[in-house]
Amino acid sequence: MLQVVFRILGPLEISADGRPVVLQGARQRTIMSMLLLAPNRVVSVDVLADAVWDGRPPATARNQIAICVSALRKTIKTAVGVEDLLVTSHPGYMLFTGEHRIDAVEFNDRTAKGREAARSGRLEEACAHFEEALAMWRGPALEGISAERVESEAAQLTGERFDVYEEYAGLRLELGQHREMVGELSAFVREHPLREQAKGHLMLAQYRAGRRAEALETYRDAQRLLADELGIDPGPVLQELHEEILADSPHLNLPAEPAVLVPQTTVPAHLPPIPASFTGRNSELASLDRLLDQLDGQALPVGSIIGPGGVGKTALAVHWAHQVVARFPDGLLFADMRGYDEAEEPRRPGAVLDRFLRALGVPGPQIPTDQNERTALFRSVLGGRRVLIVLDNARSFQQIRPLLPGTGRCCVLVTSRDSMGGSLAGDYAFVPLHLGSLEQDESIALLSKVAGDERFEADPAGAARLSLLCDRLPLALRIAAARLAAKPHWSVRTLVARLEDQHRRLDELSMDERGVRAGLRLSYRDLPAAAARMFRLLGVLNVPDFSAWAGAALLDIDPVDAEDLIEQLVDAQLLEPLRATTGHVRYRFQDLVRLFGRECARDGNTEEELRAATRRACGAWLALAAEAHRRVYGGDYTVIHGPAPLHPLPGHLVESLLEDPMEWFETERSSITGLVEQAARHGESAHAWDLAMTGVTLFQNRNYLEDWRESGERALEAAVQSGDTLGEAAMLHSLGTLEIVLWDYESAHHRLSRALHLFEEQGQDQGRALVLRNLALCERHRGDLDRAREKGHRSLEIFRAVGDHYAETHVLGLLAQIELERGEPQASLVLSSEAVARSRGLGTVRGEAQSTVRLAEALIHQGDGPRAEEACRRALELVRDSGDRRGEAHALRTLGEALWCQGRTEEAEAVLRDALLTSGKVPDRHLEARAGVVLGCVQALHMDRAGAAASFKSAQDLFAEVGAPVWEERSARLLAVLGNGLPLESEQLFVLVRP
């Protein structure tokens, strides 16, 4: 097998044995670029589709991505005989590098070696590594790939190149190469004038080369440019350098002899050994390097690594300390403060001071017994020394405060589960670092270090899944890898299968007192009672993330009090804060923490307590969903509510959450589907089906059809099992509506007929009317317009009787369409005009837009093109303001017909192409076909018979796909008319495309 070489530091190039591998088409190049930007990591299909179609993927995106990846595999296999390079791994694909090479990976490796050499004072070696890394670049990363997402990520890579160059230039200045650097830096600054670090390097090089005036002019140029381009002054570093040049500060000169950073042999060296499995964390190590920049300053440099148990805080602190050992020639002190030890009490600062003082050479009899005096002596002994102090597992600022030196020549690094930023920020040169899970490639590298590479190389998809099941947490990963190492006869999939069982996962990763469960228990043990209860109940909810109001519902407390409790869980590293939406922070569990929370809930709460809390949470989501629906539709229209109890939230909170009702639905989409499943599983039928029905507000508007079906089916099953007839009818109606959206009218008719029978048994008029309206749609599709008209009028009567004015306007629009298809344009005009007026009175934008489009269609039938155009443009304005893409496609298609009606066929063609594109994105195959038919007519009138034929044939295929035989036959007739070669008349074609 040949080694494949991928080059992305410039134009995309792939070669094997010196021979190029050529990819076919922009899509293949975009997909390969995205996979190369994340080697050995799964890139989801959604991300790939977003890149290929610049954020607007078609409905067939998943299939098209699969086809492209298959073609890529074939190309690579044909060229170099490699079959396992592109791996399918849920939820997408992964480029498994193995022994193959990627220049960007090699660039990062050489850069890391350069930085490590620089930290240890080996400047010439560091420069050599940086020079090799920079020589790999052939131009801007992935030059020529026009996809926006690729360009964005490639720009970040190119930015890293510039960062490395500036580091390289700084090292060369330290080595006294200022004269050689002047010309090189001048060219770089001209090309990248806003990079202040490079400007500073150039100023220093010019000054040291005896060109002081040029250095000052370089600063003035930077000052003018930043003011003109960004309206800001140069940063403090550049300003300070300018002041030092003006003052001819001796600090700017090279030292007579470079300092040799070699640790002494007679100083304390308390550091534990570096864990053999330590992996990755390059960006975190770079963040800690900022502490070194603060040495010799007025304030003591203090770094803080916080994170949950098992995330690798100690390993990172020890690894970094070993890397920078040469910067602290007077010693390295380490103490485990035992802040979270289950068996022993936290260490007392006085005892730690005693050990530190003895290590620094103070004889035991001279060490005071008073802690304050020990602290004073400790600080005196450290005066003038350069010592690194690592305080591991600290519990609080009070515990470490006596151990902090009084000199900026020293440096302190603290690890803890609790943030001490409030105490450290301001008084110290503070560098905080919140440590999270490893990246996927780092996780797999850790697994390989502990268990060996062979099994992971043979099953990259299994390795990726294993890392996710361990939450990419170093402790869990080490335990999993150790289990594989102890079981050489197990495959990766063997352990994955055991961890997939949520009831076993914590057991599998908690084989002794050092396991995952033990670490979580330490954090849970110290929670106040109310916070512990919040933790347990939140863990029971089947939602991916949530805001504080969900916790308020669970505990039946004030939302502000709930937020305080949740923030205690964040401080204890048991919850992760995400983002703020409309001013409301969202939180989430890692999977292992959630499983532990559920264990605690089973031990700490009765089954009835858990059910009652879950009902309150479902009631809060349902109350908000119902109110959001009202705000979208102007009332409780299109839905049927049942007896499920609501849990109302304070009015001011509801106003804040539902400022944009559809965006609230979007944010809570996964929570709604998860709660439907949870409620259905636990026999809470009323909450399940009411949430499922109200969620259709989102599912239909934003085209989440799988969510619609999954929620509806689960809720229907629960209703049938519990004998909830109203819920069964409601879900049959909802799923029947979904079948109409999917053009499966036979299934829709079957479900709706059963729903009508059940609603009639219940005496539920609103439900009867909703079902009759949809049955009218089914009859219209079957071609029985008289029965469609009869059912439509029956539903209209009921809606008027029960006062559902929104549904009334909807049915008026439907009847207008039916009358149009029955050949009664005047009746259609009257009905659609009434629908428009009523929609405006209700303030329902979507309803007004739909009715206005139907009004335009009636006007087109009567030959009134100008008024039809005016109506269409009004409808477009409405749908675009509300983000209704389906409505936009309808309005564009009708506008195209209105323009054609006026003889403005060139304008019509442009609009119809937009309609075709928009309907394809919704997607709505029937609407796409309707737009295609009209476009074909306009093309035919422009004598573009080939284009017209293609449009008619595509429309015919789409009509066949959705089961619309009448329109399929019309498309065939249009093709026949086009094929007879006779002159085409506009009126002749117009008759064939109108209902």
Side-chain angles (χ1 to χ4, degrees):
M1 181 181 73
L2 298 176
Q3 184 184 59
V4 184
V5 178
F6 300 92
R7 293 183 177 89
I8 64 175
L9 303 182
L12 175 62
E13 290 183 2
I14 307 174
S15 62
D17 196 25
R19 299 191 306 273
V21 178
V22 180
L23 303 185
Q24 301 297 321
R27 288 184 186 175
Q28 285 192 19
R29 293 170 64 80
T30 297
I31 291 173
M32 181 58 79
S33 297
M34 290 296 294
L35 295 174
L36 286 168
L37 285 165
N40 299 312
R41 299 203 303 268
V42 176
V43 182
S44 71
V45 173
D46 289 342
V47 169
L48 293 174
D50 182 74
V52 170
W53 286 280
D54 285 337
R56 298 178 295 275
T60 57
R62 302 187 73 85
N63 288 337
Q64 294 190 50
I65 293 293
I67 291 168
C68 274
V69 172
S70 177
L72 279 170
R73 287 180 175 139
K74 184 176 180 181
T75 297
I76 293 170
K77 180 180 180 182
T78 301
V80 295
V82 176
E83 296 186 0
D84 60 348
L85 188 64
L86 300 182
V87 178
T88 301
S89 180
H90 180 77
Y93 302 95
M94 176 173 67
L95 189 144
F96 177 58
T97 55
E99 298 299 318
H100 307 297
R101 295 171 52 200
I102 302 175
D103 59 355
V105 174
E106 295 178 354
F107 168 76
N108 288 331
D109 289 344
R110 283 175 172 77
T111 297
K113 290 178 181 177
R115 286 171 175 157
E116 186 173 351
R119 289 191 193 103
S120 302
R122 306 191 307 275
L123 303 190
E124 291 185 355
E125 180 186 336
C127 284
H129 286 306
F130 283 143
E131 190 170 354
E132 288 177 6
L134 292 166
M136 297 178 185
W137 285 82
R138 299 167 289 112
L142 290 167
E143 187 176 16
I145 306 295
S146 59
E148 291 179 8
R149 188 154 190 156
V150 173
E151 288 176 342
S152 174
E153 298 197 24
Q156 294 181 28
L157 194 55
T158 301
E160 291 175 22
R161 171 193 184 185
F162 298 151
D163 292 341
V164 171
Y165 175 75
E166 288 173 343
E167 291 179 58
Y168 172 56
L171 292 177
R172 290 179 64 188
L173 289 174
E174 287 189 50
L175 290 169
Q177 299 177 16
H178 41 269
R179 295 187 185 279
E180 298 95 314
M181 291 297 296
V182 171
E184 187 178 316
L185 281 167
S186 295
F188 184 85
V189 165
R190 280 195 300 273
E191 190 172 350
H192 310 288
L194 295 178
R195 295 191 71 93
E196 291 192 42
Q197 181 69 68
K199 292 267 191 185
H201 287 335
L202 176 57
M203 289 168 62
L204 184 58
Q206 289 169 328
Y207 180 81
R208 287 182 176 173
R211 296 154 71 168
R212 181 172 180 267
E214 292 181 24
L216 294 171
E217 182 59 31
T218 297
Y219 178 80
R220 285 191 290 273
D221 287 344
Q223 194 175 38
R224 283 191 296 269
L225 180 69
L226 290 170
D228 293 343
E229 294 287 331
L230 304 176
I232 60 173
D233 293 325
V237 174
L238 213 57
Q239 291 185 38
E240 184 178 344
L241 178 59
H242 176 242
E243 293 298 325
E244 290 183 329
I245 291 173
L246 286 173
D248 288 317
S249 170
H251 292 128
L252 299 179
N253 299 321
L254 283 167
E257 293 183 7
V260 179
L261 303 175
V262 179
Q264 300 174 14
T265 57
T266 58
V267 297
H270 288 180
L271 286 179
I274 301 175
S277 60
F278 183 84
T279 304
R281 302 296 196 191
N282 291 328
S283 63
E284 289 86 352
L285 290 166
S287 294
L288 293 176
D289 283 347
R290 291 159 47 202
L291 289 167
L292 304 178
D293 298 334
Q294 308 294 331
L295 289 173
D296 297 321
Q298 293 182 348
L300 172 70
V302 179
S304 168
I305 305 174
I306 64 170
V311 80
K313 301 182 294 294
T314 301
L316 174 63
V318 171
H319 186 83
W320 181 79
H322 276 286
Q323 282 193 340
V324 300
V325 64
R327 298 293 296 272
F328 298 94
D330 297 315
L332 297 104
L333 298 170
F334 179 92
D336 181 357
M337 304 303 292
R338 293 201 308 237
Y340 303 91
D341 197 298
E342 193 165 19
E344 299 184 67
E345 290 295 316
R347 285 191 187 277
R348 291 179 293 106
V352 178
L353 282 168
D354 180 81
R355 187 164 66 87
F356 281 178
L357 286 167
R358 292 174 189 274
L360 291 166
V362 178
Q366 297 181 19
I367 298 175
T369 57
D370 181 78
Q371 179 178 294
N372 292 332
E373 292 180 10
R374 284 184 182 182
T375 297
L377 177 60
F378 179 59
R379 290 171 179 167
S380 298
V381 170
L382 289 179
R385 296 194 189 188
R386 193 180 293 285
V387 175
L388 173 63
I389 302 166
V390 179
L391 303 175
D392 191 34
N393 287 316
R395 186 55 184 264
S396 65
F397 177 68
Q398 287 69 31
Q399 187 188 25
I400 67 167
R401 186 174 186 175
L403 306 174
L404 300 179
T407 170
R409 290 182 60 79
C410 294
C411 178
V412 178
L413 182 58
V414 184
T415 76
S416 178
R417 297 188 189 185
D418 294 298
S419 173
M420 301 180 193
S423 301
L424 291 168
D427 293 334
Y428 303 91
F430 181 48
V431 176
L433 178 64
H434 191 290
L435 198 60
S437 299
L438 293 169
E439 296 293 333
Q440 184 156 295
D441 55 343
E442 296 173 338
S443 301
I444 295 173
L446 190 155
L447 290 167
S448 299
K449 280 186 178 182
V450 177
D453 291 341
E454 298 79 7
R455 280 177 283 185
F456 296 109
E457 289 181 353
D459 188 2
R465 181 59 184 158
L466 179 59
S467 75
L468 290 175
L469 289 170
C470 293
D471 280 341
R472 303 198 302 272
L473 192 71
L475 173 62
L477 291 164
R478 286 197 300 272
I479 293 170
R483 298 207 66 195
L484 284 174
K487 301 282 186 181
H489 54 285
W490 279 12
S491 69
V492 175
R493 296 298 174 110
T494 304
L495 184 54
V496 166
R498 296 171 75 93
L499 295 182
E500 290 281 10
D501 183 348
Q502 292 190 3
H503 300 293
R504 296 179 55 91
R505 192 180 310 167
L506 279 174
D507 293 334
E508 297 287 340
L509 297 174
S510 304
M511 306 304 290
D512 56 32
E513 70 279 359
R514 295 170 299 172
V516 173
R517 184 184 282 114
L520 293 171
R521 188 166 55 244
L522 290 175
S523 296
Y524 174 70
R525 176 194 65 182
D526 295 328
L527 289 174
R533 182 168 180 247
M534 177 69 80
F535 173 70
R536 296 193 300 269
L537 296 182
L538 284 171
V540 172
L541 279 186
N542 187 27
V543 298
D545 51 62
F546 48 85
S547 290
W549 58 263
L554 282 168
L555 270 65
D556 196 14
I557 60 176
D558 183 84
V560 176
D561 294 334
E563 186 173 46
D564 290 341
L565 294 177
I566 287 173
E567 285 295 333
Q568 290 183 38
L569 301 180
V570 172
D571 294 340
Q573 307 300 321
L574 292 171
L575 274 182
E576 293 182 346
L578 296 177
R579 66 196 185 281
T581 56
T582 61
H584 299 273
V585 179
R586 296 190 72 79
Y587 306 88
R588 79 174 183 90
F589 284 107
Q590 286 195 317
D591 283 348
L592 293 174
V593 181
R594 186 193 299 278
L595 292 177
F596 178 71
R598 289 176 180 172
E599 284 187 1
C600 294
R602 288 195 293 272
D603 295 338
N605 298 89
T606 66
E607 184 65 27
E608 182 49 41
E609 285 174 336
L610 296 178
R611 283 180 172 267
T614 304
R615 280 194 292 269
R616 286 194 298 271
C618 287
W621 258 281
L622 181 56
L624 285 168
E627 179 58 27
H629 173 89
R630 289 185 199 104
R631 295 181 184 215
V632 172
Y633 286 97
D636 283 322
Y637 310 132
T638 77
V639 295
I640 299 158
H641 293 303
L646 304 182
H647 187 86
L649 297 171
H652 66 88
L653 178 59
V654 174
E655 289 299 322
S656 175
L657 288 168
L658 301 183
E659 185 177 346
D660 185 333
M662 286 308 302
E663 283 312 301
W664 179 85
F665 266 122
E666 188 72 61
T667 299
E668 301 297 340
R669 170 191 165 196
S670 296
S671 296
I672 290 171
T673 57
L675 288 171
V676 169
E677 188 276 333
Q678 184 174 6
R681 178 164 30 93
H682 291 149
E684 301 288 348
S685 168
H687 274 122
W689 71 256
D690 209 336
L691 271 171
M693 170 155 275
T694 312
V696 173
T697 311
L698 171 71
F699 304 150
Q700 185 169 15
N701 191 289
R702 298 288 172 90
N703 221 52
Y704 295 130
L705 305 186
E706 287 303 315
D707 288 345
W708 189 350
R709 182 177 296 285
E710 181 67 20
S711 296
E713 294 287 4
R714 294 304 300 270
L716 175 61
E717 182 181 345
V720 171
Q721 288 180 351
S722 62
D724 185 346
T725 307
L726 179 61
E728 181 182 357
M731 287 300 93
L732 285 169
H733 157 68
S734 178
L735 290 167
T737 307
L738 173 61
E739 303 295 5
I740 290 174
V741 172
L742 295 172
W743 296 95
D744 188 349
Y745 280 89
E746 287 306 312
S747 296
H749 195 275
H750 174 74
R751 288 186 186 268
L752 292 170
S753 297
R754 172 65 179 159
L756 181 61
H757 174 70
L758 293 175
F759 278 133
E760 286 173 342
E761 282 187 346
Q762 294 279 309
Q764 224 291 344
D765 289 337
Q766 176 81 353
R768 286 176 54 221
L770 288 169
V771 173
L772 284 167
R773 181 191 67 187
N774 284 348
L775 283 170
L777 283 168
C778 292
E779 299 296 354
R780 174 186 165 224
H781 182 79
R782 289 176 165 182
D784 192 337
L785 296 177
D786 290 336
R787 292 188 68 183
R789 182 174 182 272
E790 181 267 331
K791 284 183 166 52
H793 277 289
R794 283 174 59 196
S795 70
L796 182 63
E797 290 171 6
I798 299 173
F799 284 134
R800 283 175 170 165
V802 300
D804 188 341
H805 302 300
Y806 177 87
E808 179 185 350
T809 61
H810 189 274
V811 175
L812 284 170
L814 172 60
L815 288 170
Q817 189 68 36
I818 292 170
E819 294 294 358
L820 200 63
E821 293 172 9
R822 292 179 72 242
E824 299 291 343
Q826 184 57 40
S828 176
L829 187 63
V830 171
L831 288 165
S832 54
S833 297
E834 183 181 356
V836 170
R838 290 184 176 275
S839 297
R840 285 179 184 167
L842 291 170
T844 165
V845 172
R846 196 161 185 255
E848 182 182 350
Q850 292 173 343
S851 300
T852 303
V853 168
R854 294 215 170 94
L855 174 64
E857 289 181 318
L859 290 167
I860 291 169
H861 250 288
Q862 293 192 327
D864 194 343
R867 286 181 63 201
E869 179 186 352
E870 180 183 353
C872 289
R873 295 198 185 279
R874 167 61 180 162
L876 272 176
E877 181 182 340
L878 291 169
V879 295
R880 284 173 173 164
D881 285 346
S882 65
D884 181 1
R885 300 302 297 274
R886 188 186 303 272
E888 182 179 358
H890 275 288
L892 285 169
R893 190 263 305 165
T894 311
L895 177 59
E897 293 186 24
L899 292 169
W900 173 19
C901 179
Q902 298 175 70
R904 293 152 59 187
T905 53
E906 289 187 1
E907 292 177 64
E909 182 171 351
V911 169
L912 289 165
R913 289 191 185 280
D914 282 348
L916 198 65
L917 184 65
T918 305
S919 55
K921 289 176 181 176
V922 170
D924 186 324
R925 294 288 174 258
H926 189 272
L927 180 53
E928 186 178 354
R930 286 285 307 274
V933 163
V934 183
L935 175 62
C937 291
V938 174
Q939 289 172 306
L941 292 173
H942 289 162
M943 303 308 293
D944 180 8
R945 288 180 177 264
S951 295
F952 291 150
K953 184 63 173 70
S954 176
Q956 183 182 27
D957 292 342
L958 288 172
F959 284 132
E961 179 184 330
V962 301
V966 173
W967 282 100
E968 182 184 358
E969 192 273 333
R970 287 189 183 194
S971 302
R973 286 166 59 194
L974 284 164
L975 278 168
V977 169
L978 189 67
N980 64 24
L982 297 176
L984 298 170
E985 297 293 337
S986 181
E987 187 60 34
Q988 174 191 15
L989 296 175
F990 201 77
V991 169
L992 290 175
V993 298
R994 293 306 305 156

